[in-house]
Amino acid sequence: MNSLISKFKNKIKTFDINGNAKMFFIAPLAVVLIMIICGCCYQFTNTKYDKFANISVDFQGGTMMTVEFNGQDNMNSGSGYDANLAIITEALAEEGFVVSIAQSSGSNAIIVKYLNTSTKGDQIVDYNSDEKVGEMNTINENIQLAIADKATSYYDGAVTVNSTATLIGNSASIKLLRTALISVAVALALMLIYIIIRFDLYSGLAAVVALLHDILIMMSFTVIFYVEIGSTIVAGIITIVAYSINNTIVVFDRIRSNMKPYKKAGTKFELGDVVNSAIYSTMTRTLFTTLTTAATVTLLAIFGVASLQNFALPILFGLIAGFYSSAFLAAPMWGYFKNLGDKIKISNKNHKFNKNKKDNARLKKA
Amino acid sequence: MNKKQSIIVLIIVGILMITLALFIIPLNGEDSFEAGDSNYDVYWVSKAISMGLDLKGGMYAEYSGRLQDGSEPSDADIEGAIANLEELLYSKGYSEATVTKIGNTQVRVEVPQIEDTSALMKLIGKSATLEFKDADGTVLITGEEHLKDCFASMSDSEYVIKLEFNDAGAQAFADATEANLNKTIDIYIDGEKVMSPTVNSVISDGNAIIEGNYTYDTANDMAVRLKAGISSVKLSLLRSETISPTLGDEALSKAILAAIIGVAFIMVFMMLIYRGLGLASTLALTCYIELLLFFLAVVPWVQLTLTGIAGVILSIGMAVDGNVVIFEQIKEERLIGNRLVPSAIKTGFSKTLVTILDANVTTILGAIVMLIVGSSAIKSFALTLLIGIILSLISSILITRMFVNCFLGLNDENEAFYGLSLKGVSIDE
């Protein structure tokens, strides 16, 4: 393993990351492009997916019902899954609801989602509004009872059913979306302020761009793999924002200490070298810290039940994106912003200098 | 530290950790254990951690509160509605129910471990109307407009129901009692006549009592029913969830499995890469996990939910991050700075302190943001994450260092043990 790492490190060492920074934006762009293509496929082609992304009822209102069939082993394998799903679908149809997404969870549970809109013949009733959500709750209870009855008669009493229903009305989902956006924005702003205080403006800007990249890539993979986007995605995003910045800070910290000798002596230096050596010397720790954290999250995604998977997978995607941005994007971006800032400063100085010259000339004339 | 001190410290810490570990899970699976002739009850840590609804089953419902005229209720209105709901739920036997305010105008009701949710939902969803009518059926007083409070009380060594009216109510009640002196006034809850007390005198100070040979229980029951009609806040359901307890069991055991494998992976990884230093961080990680479990049991706001478990597991993954940063620095000091092992280790720890603090402050900031604005699932995650990060700081900076110092006291020359041998390593730069 060590030899593999040192090979990787040697590659990095001889490669001018800063000089080729643009190259490293190709991969994220490709991911975003794939996301758009996948999303469009999910939306417009006739697959079992019916929407651009797998948005949970949390964000659009609706009901999510987890139905657990107990009494026989592996109820989800083979024809068992279809038979059980048929039971659920039938019970829903009697009340005028249609399953929009169904998936298996664990060995004997099925999760179905449906909108709170019932269609009985020509009569369409929307139960999403504040006044009607209470009625929908009663309907869901009836559906749960109906599923239990049907399962009992289908399996001749050999199977019992436990079910869990999550009902979300329209205003709850709108409120959730609003707090989600606000909290992510607040988290980003706090990180920016903290880094500006501890480092400098350029580091802060570079870190925020890196974090936006992480969020974008994380969401892109979530769409590509059709992982459900529910209320916990907010926690996932904030976690990634707060965690991914750790590695970025380690790199910036190294840049800061690499810059120290130049600051004192006032000598000229090559910004690219500072950036490259900082990236190189922090590469192992960036990789290892991500690896240990990603390992536990991966295990959660493998062993966890559906709701934990939906939480762990986006975090895993975010960790990968965070490693990438800390290792390859943040430091070169810092260099870019610093160069830009220095140029502006110099041109401002020149401007002042020229102005002073003119003023002096005017004074002389007078 | 010299050899003797190192051994003493290691033994003390070892005994301490083993003792603490024994209190986490009852090895015989029971709540008490036998020693000699007596049974000792123990407050097992694993059982003291309070579980959220998604792990133990139950139901929750979130409501938005609106005044009858559709305007936003004030804080006091919502607090009143919550107090009413609590009384209502307790009086109906849902003793474990909790009612909390979320945001400014919303209410969340949680009831663990119940089967029949429909009766409960009906109980909450219904906003009771309370009306006082005279014999002709004219409404004299309405609960939401005129009544302030209502409770069981004592008067002349008898249980009575005490009514307190607001200013408008005092006037209305004075008029009503004057017009109906020595007649009965009928009290209706949701259109159903519940009692018909006789007016004995004109009451103008806004305080009335209803007598009727009550016991405390009957008086209290009636007071609770009347009080439900006082609330002017109308609750409409926003979201609800019922959770079957067996689903939670499966989720919990699988998450624990993931945690155990994750910890094992991290320990093996650290020891493979960093040898003796890795061993120190493995020991520190063990202490960290024990401390984390104790804190989860002790910190009062912790309620372990599925997302909370994810927070625990994530923080275990993050706990060794600090160690990685420190150990890489030590390697650098040794290989590039060409320091001796003890000096490389010392410099490594001190140089990385600020970096580690910087990095963790941001994660703490993120957790605090979630604690403030998050929904309840997110709050549980954020709290366990926050506890985890703070403990991991202690673990990676202090506990690991203590173990490394003990190792150094035992042997500070064996470079291979610390993974810091210069042989066979190409020196960079």
Side-chain angles (χ1 to χ4, degrees):
Chain A
M1 186 152 193
N2 272 327
S3 69
L4 206 76
I5 290 160
S6 55
K7 255 188 205 164
F8 176 65
K9 278 185 82 172
N10 270 335
K11 269 249 171 79
I12 301 262
K13 195 185 176 187
T14 49
F15 192 82
D16 178 12
I17 291 180
N18 189 56
N20 294 290
K22 277 178 194 153
M23 262 181 59
F24 287 98
F25 283 93
I26 294 175
L29 284 176
V31 170
V32 173
L33 200 67
I34 294 172
M35 180 267 285
I36 294 172
I37 294 169
C38 282
C40 289
C41 286
Y42 298 145
Q43 174 99 37
F44 298 116
T45 59
N46 203 7
T47 55
K48 64 172 174 165
Y49 311 119
D50 64 338
K51 282 225 176 70
F52 190 90
N54 185 355
I55 311 270
S56 96
V57 290
D58 288 343
F59 283 112
Q60 59 180 5
T63 300
M64 180 176 87
M65 194 177 280
T66 308
V67 187
E68 188 190 18
F69 294 85
N70 293 316
Q72 286 176 16
D73 289 339
N74 288 325
M75 302 280 302
N76 269 344
S77 59
S79 60
Y81 176 79
D82 294 333
N84 291 339
L85 186 57
I87 291 174
I88 300 170
T89 317
E90 202 185 311
L92 282 174
E94 282 172 8
E95 295 280 354
F97 295 93
V98 184
V99 173
S100 65
I101 292 177
Q103 65 179 108
S104 61
S105 169
S107 57
N108 56 356
I110 296 177
I111 299 174
V112 290
K113 287 170 209 158
Y114 46 93
L115 296 176
N116 297 336
T117 311
S118 107
T119 316
K120 280 181 185 167
D122 295 337
Q123 207 183 357
I124 299 173
V125 187
D126 181 7
Y127 291 99
N128 265 315
S129 62
D130 283 1
E131 296 80 35
K132 294 260 185 174
V133 176
E135 284 175 44
M136 187 65 203
N137 194 67
T138 318
I139 294 173
N140 279 339
E141 277 159 9
N142 292 339
I143 292 172
Q144 284 174 288
L145 290 175
I147 292 172
D149 281 351
K150 283 177 198 299
T152 312
S153 61
Y154 182 84
Y155 288 103
D156 246 352
V159 167
T160 58
V161 172
N162 283 319
S163 55
T164 292
T166 308
L167 165 66
I168 289 116
N170 247 351
S171 53
S173 56
I174 291 166
K175 187 182 166 256
L176 185 70
L177 194 64
R178 204 173 45 203
T179 43
L181 292 175
I182 292 173
S183 52
V184 171
V186 169
L188 276 174
L190 281 176
M191 301 301 143
L192 177 68
I193 293 168
Y194 186 74
I195 297 210
I196 289 177
I197 292 172
R198 296 288 296 137
F199 294 87
D200 55 11
L201 178 67
Y202 310 123
S203 306
L205 289 176
V208 167
V209 176
L211 289 177
L212 289 174
H213 157 272
D214 299 346
I215 298 173
L216 184 65
I217 297 302
M218 173 179 175
M219 295 309 292
S220 296
F221 277 119
T222 308
V223 170
I224 291 170
F225 291 101
Y226 218 67
V227 178
E228 186 188 83
I229 300 172
S231 63
T232 49
I233 197 87
V234 185
I237 292 176
I238 296 177
T239 306
I240 288 305
V241 165
Y243 178 78
S244 158
I245 208 156
N246 292 5
N247 283 328
T248 313
I249 283 180
V250 172
V251 181
F252 285 160
D253 196 51
R254 184 50 63 103
I255 290 180
R256 184 163 58 182
S257 66
N258 282 355
M259 292 283 287
K260 257 183 197 159
Y262 300 114
K263 249 183 195 165
K264 272 178 195 158
T267 43
K268 289 224 161 188
F269 63 95
E270 198 53 56
L271 204 62
D273 290 344
V274 172
V275 168
N276 277 337
S277 94
I279 292 174
Y280 169 70
S281 53
T282 53
M283 184 60 76
T284 319
R285 65 197 71 173
T286 309
L287 186 65
F288 282 179
T289 50
T290 307
L291 199 64
T292 53
T293 309
T296 53
V297 177
T298 309
L299 287 163
L300 260 187
I302 293 173
F303 291 108
V305 292
S307 63
L308 268 185
Q309 277 174 350
N310 294 335
F311 188 40
L313 279 174
I315 291 183
L316 184 62
F317 301 146
L319 285 174
I320 296 167
F323 165 72
Y324 188 85
S325 69
S326 303
F328 304 113
L329 303 180
M333 251 178 325
W334 171 83
Y336 174 78
F337 284 128
K338 176 146 179 70
N339 255 336
L340 205 69
D342 288 350
K343 265 183 203 157
I344 292 170
K345 263 186 206 157
I346 288 168
S347 73
N348 271 349
K349 253 187 200 163
N350 284 344
H351 188 68
K352 263 189 196 159
F353 184 68
N354 287 338
K355 208 181 158 198
N356 281 345
K357 248 184 177 173
K358 272 183 196 163
D359 288 348
N360 283 343
R362 250 182 241 147
L363 275 174
K364 266 183 189 169
K365 265 187 186 170
Chain B
M1 274 194 274
N2 61 32
K3 241 180 206 176
K4 215 171 162 186
Q5 285 171 322
S6 300
I7 292 173
I8 292 172
V9 170
L10 282 177
I11 289 176
I12 292 175
V13 173
I15 291 174
L16 198 69
M17 294 325 291
I18 291 172
T19 322
L20 284 181
L22 285 176
F23 284 96
I24 293 176
I25 301 171
L27 291 174
N28 60 359
E30 283 164 30
D31 285 349
S32 56
F33 67 94
E34 265 183 46
D37 294 334
S38 46
N39 256 320
Y40 291 92
D41 282 335
V42 174
Y43 199 57
W44 300 108
V45 170
S46 59
K47 292 191 178 168
I49 300 175
S50 79
M51 299 279 183
L53 285 178
D54 54 355
L55 293 178
K56 66 181 173 189
M59 66 85 69
Y60 76 82
E62 290 175 5
Y63 297 87
S64 86
R66 278 276 179 277
L67 295 179
Q68 302 287 357
D69 58 11
S71 59
E72 289 230 335
S74 69
D75 268 5
D77 289 335
I78 288 287
E79 298 293 346
I82 289 175
N84 280 347
L85 266 182
E86 277 175 344
E87 270 180 56
L88 184 69
L89 289 168
Y90 294 154
S91 70
K92 295 285 175 186
Y94 299 104
S95 58
E96 276 193 81
T98 54
V99 187
T100 46
K101 192 167 105 173
I102 42 176
N104 287 326
T105 59
Q106 287 178 26
V107 173
R108 179 185 169 96
V109 179
E110 275 191 26
V111 188
Q113 286 159 330
I114 65 158
E115 296 285 327
D116 179 22
T117 56
S118 60
L120 181 70
M121 298 293 292
K122 280 188 193 118
L123 196 67
I124 303 168
K126 204 162 63 175
S127 75
T129 59
L130 175 64
E131 286 165 335
F132 290 22
K133 293 182 187 171
D134 65 14
D136 306 330
T138 318
V139 177
L140 305 168
I141 303 278
T142 66
E144 59 188 75
E145 239 179 290
H146 297 130
L147 264 168
K148 197 162 72 182
D149 202 357
C150 175
F151 48 89
S153 177
M154 276 288 250
S155 169
D156 293 334
S157 67
E158 255 186 273
Y159 285 106
V160 295
I161 299 166
K162 199 155 195 286
L163 302 173
E164 282 180 19
F165 292 88
N166 59 25
D167 292 341
Q171 185 57 50
F173 196 59
D175 295 345
T177 44
E178 202 176 339
N180 292 286
L181 194 60
N182 297 323
K183 291 187 218 158
T184 58
I185 289 183
D186 302 328
I187 300 180
Y188 288 81
I189 295 176
D190 290 330
E192 177 198 347
K193 186 154 88 175
V194 291
M195 61 169 116
S196 305
T198 307
V199 179
N200 294 331
S201 59
V202 176
I203 299 167
S204 54
D205 66 345
N207 287 303
I209 52 173
I210 301 172
E211 293 167 349
N213 292 328
Y214 291 113
T215 64
Y216 175 75
D217 286 340
T218 52
N220 190 47
D221 272 359
M222 190 52 77
V224 168
R225 288 185 70 186
L226 293 176
K227 196 168 171 182
I230 297 177
S231 174
S232 49
V233 179
K234 205 177 145 199
L235 296 175
S236 53
L237 186 68
L238 288 177
R239 56 179 296 163
S240 71
E241 184 162 1
T242 55
I243 302 128
S244 106
T246 45
L247 276 181
D249 278 350
E250 194 192 353
L252 183 62
S253 59
K254 286 191 166 163
I256 290 174
L257 181 68
I260 290 172
I261 301 177
V263 168
F265 170 84
I266 289 172
M267 288 177 168
V268 171
F269 176 86
M270 292 300 281
M271 287 195 281
L272 274 181
I273 302 276
Y274 299 111
R275 313 275 177 87
L277 295 175
L279 178 65
S281 77
T282 294
L283 292 174
L285 187 61
T286 317
C287 298
Y288 165 79
I289 292 168
E290 280 187 28
L291 289 176
L292 185 61
L293 287 173
F294 272 85
F295 269 83
L296 291 181
V298 169
V299 177
W301 313 278
V302 173
Q303 211 189 29
L304 208 57
T305 59
L306 270 184
T307 48
I309 290 177
V312 171
I313 294 178
L314 190 65
S315 69
I316 290 174
M318 292 178 182
V320 289
D321 283 8
N323 288 137
V324 170
V325 173
I326 294 167
F327 297 163
E328 285 297 318
Q329 186 71 36
I330 291 174
K331 266 192 176 167
E332 206 175 296
E333 297 298 326
R334 172 78 178 133
L335 302 181
I336 298 165
N338 221 351
R339 293 171 189 269
L340 291 174
V341 170
S343 137
I345 288 176
K346 203 176 165 207
T347 323
F349 270 102
S350 61
K351 263 196 184 174
T352 47
L353 184 65
V354 178
T355 317
I356 292 176
L357 286 178
D358 263 340
N360 279 284
V361 165
T362 57
T363 320
I364 290 174
L365 282 178
I368 291 174
V369 170
M370 288 189 258
L371 266 183
I372 294 171
V373 292
S375 64
S376 67
I378 293 178
K379 279 196 172 110
S380 163
F381 169 75
L383 188 60
T384 53
L385 189 66
L386 187 64
I387 295 172
I389 297 163
I390 293 170
L391 285 178
S392 88
L393 265 180
I394 297 170
S395 158
S396 61
I397 293 173
L398 297 177
I399 304 180
T400 310
R401 190 164 193 180
M402 177 195 72
F403 282 120
V404 171
N405 282 342
C406 288
F407 292 169
L408 281 176
L410 294 174
N411 184 339
D412 62 1
E413 282 167 353
N414 189 341
E415 294 166 357
F417 173 73
Y418 296 104
L420 295 172
S421 171
L422 295 179
K423 276 177 219 154
V425 179
S426 62
I427 298 173
D428 308 309
E429 291 171 41

